[in-house]
Amino acid sequence: MSETTTGATGASGASYAAAGVDIEAGDRAVELMKEWVKKTRRPEVLGGLGGFAGLFDASALKRYERPLLASATDGVGTKVDIARQLGVYDTIGHDLVAMVMDDIVVCGAEPLFMTDYICVGKVHPERVAAIVKGIAEGCVLAGCALVGGETAEHPGLLGEDDFDVAGAGTGVVEADRLLGADRIRRGDAVIAMASSGLHSNGYSLVRHVLLNRAGLSLDAHIEEFGRTLGEELLEPTKIYSLDCLALTRTTEVHAFSHVTGGGLAANLARVIPDGLHAVVDRATWTPAPVFDLVGRTGEVERLELEKTLNMGVGMIAIVPAESTEAALTTLADRGVEAWVAGEITERGEHATGAALVGDYAV
């Protein structure tokens, strides 16, 4: 999981270490992260950490009639800068897993395995291990294995405390159980699942408004939050993968939509077929205080907020109307706050794929 090419040219000449790359620190980081990676192991995983590639026994897919592999890749964006400023490195991995695996589960796929890429200006082994710890914990919550990754040290391009993370994942779904727009029907219910906060989108706007423009400190206690601004902004993205899979096992589901960059309406529109329209009623929920703080402090118009932030909804399930009660019961049993937020209607002459109507509850 670390860059290992040596570059020494002689005892008195240039060396990789002199150029800023510490191979020994990278090796120590790998040793520190091994215990966390082991916690994500699934029976299909072969070998251990340190190989050139992670191995997953695909014979496990023989039980499928026609297995479809689903893949996704993503990062966490500028939320990593909040982690850097606070010196908190063991939560950002939850965000990474959520951004990747909650995209995969949208089509009904079971998450199988994930790899990560961590880029740093200087390898601090304990920091890298803390990042991987968070990724591993996220993988456990998503039900997938962390089969490998890469830690790259880029001195000169990144500052000593700078870092970024990215990941890629793979899942599998039976072809005849693939979820999506072709299953959605008029009269279907739109069920919203609450977000844990901002999740991992819109942080360029959030940082600009709260930190740069308003000059708030990450250590400032915010009464509405009941904690510091930094703690609120670093709240990990909720991982819905196993909750969504539980829904598919207990009731009929037509589609999911993961609410990320672009907001609720734009992401919901991605799974709505031509001729139909998703109407979501804002009055069915109250966004968390952090959304109001960003809007009020930055004088951000509501439509701009809604196309940038999730506004309190992290995942949408579209189910037949008669499946609503069963779906809500399943989610409640799993500790997921959820509610009927709207319905699928016929698309009018000027309607788009999805729209928010009404005012938010207070």
Side-chain angles (χ1 to χ4, degrees):
M1 278 198 176
S2 62
E3 194 174 275
T4 57
T5 305
T6 58
T9 61
S12 61
S15 69
Y16 220 5
V21 176
D22 189 339
I23 296 173
E24 286 74 19
D27 291 341
R28 172 164 167 72
V30 172
E31 287 302 313
L32 290 174
M33 67 179 70
K34 281 183 177 180
E35 65 171 298
W36 299 108
V37 176
K38 286 180 181 177
K39 296 179 185 296
T40 75
R41 193 175 183 90
R42 290 175 49 128
E44 305 94 337
V45 175
L46 303 178
L49 207 59
F52 285 93
L55 298 175
F56 190 92
D57 186 355
S59 66
L61 306 184
K62 289 181 179 179
R63 69 178 186 270
Y64 290 83
E65 291 292 327
R66 185 187 170 202
L68 302 180
L69 294 180
S71 66
T73 186
D74 211 336
V76 178
T78 60
K79 188 172 183 176
V80 298
D81 192 55
I82 306 296
R84 179 192 63 79
Q85 291 187 58
L86 291 173
V88 177
Y89 302 97
D90 63 351
T91 63
I92 207 76
H94 286 234
D95 299 283
L96 181 62
V97 176
M99 298 307 290
V100 173
M101 288 305 179
D102 283 347
D103 273 359
I104 284 176
V105 81
V106 161
C107 67
E110 174 194 354
L112 295 177
F113 57 85
M114 183 168 173
T115 58
D116 64 63
Y117 177 77
I118 303 171
C119 183
V120 299
K122 179 178 177 60
V123 172
H124 300 280
E126 288 74 18
R127 292 183 189 176
V128 173
I131 295 171
V132 174
K133 170 180 178 287
I135 297 172
E137 291 174 339
C139 285
V140 171
L141 293 174
C144 66
L146 181 60
V147 297
E150 172 76 4
T151 301
E153 190 170 26
H154 288 176
L157 294 180
L158 297 175
E160 287 196 1
D161 293 327
D162 293 337
F163 74 99
D164 200 6
V165 295
T170 299
V172 62
V173 59
E174 189 69 74
D176 63 7
R177 297 184 63 82
L178 184 69
L179 303 181
D182 61 320
R183 291 179 179 261
I184 296 176
R185 300 290 182 266
R186 179 178 178 275
D188 282 354
V190 175
I191 294 178
M193 299 180 218
S195 70
S196 56
L198 293 169
H199 282 186
S200 303
N201 299 103
Y203 273 76
S204 293
L205 172 65
V206 171
R207 289 165 54 248
H208 171 69
V209 167
L210 300 183
L211 305 184
N212 300 336
R213 182 169 171 172
L216 296 177
S217 168
L218 291 174
D219 294 327
H221 181 83
I222 306 298
E223 190 66 31
E224 304 99 294
F225 303 161
R227 56 182 174 176
T228 67
L229 176 62
E231 288 170 333
E232 178 70 26
L233 297 188
L234 211 56
E235 179 68 33
T237 305
K238 183 168 177 56
I239 298 173
Y240 300 94
S241 303
L242 296 183
D243 303 314
C244 291
L245 292 178
L247 272 186
T248 65
R249 291 192 298 268
T250 59
T251 191
E252 184 178 355
V253 178
H254 287 167
F256 290 114
S257 176
H258 186 199
V259 183
T260 57
L264 175 54
N267 281 283
L268 184 51
R270 294 168 65 180
V271 298
I272 305 301
D274 291 340
L276 294 181
H277 179 59
V279 180
V280 175
D281 186 356
R282 297 184 184 95
T284 59
W285 81 98
T286 303
V290 66
F291 300 101
D292 177 66
L293 180 66
V294 174
R296 178 166 36 85
T297 304
E299 299 179 317
V300 184
E301 295 183 358
R302 184 169 71 179
L303 291 180
E304 180 67 22
L305 275 180
E306 291 178 342
K307 73 178 185 181
T308 307
L309 306 177
N310 66 58
M311 299 307 291
V313 178
M315 181 71 79
I316 290 286
I318 299 176
V319 306
E322 61 271 19
S323 298
T324 300
E325 184 176 349
L328 291 175
T329 297
T330 294
L331 292 172
D333 289 345
R334 297 184 61 82
V336 179
E337 181 185 356
W339 63 95
V340 177
E343 65 175 338
I344 304 299
T345 66
E346 292 184 358
R347 187 178 300 194
E349 182 179 354
H350 302 293
T352 57
L356 306 184
V357 299
D359 292 318
Y360 290 110
V362 293

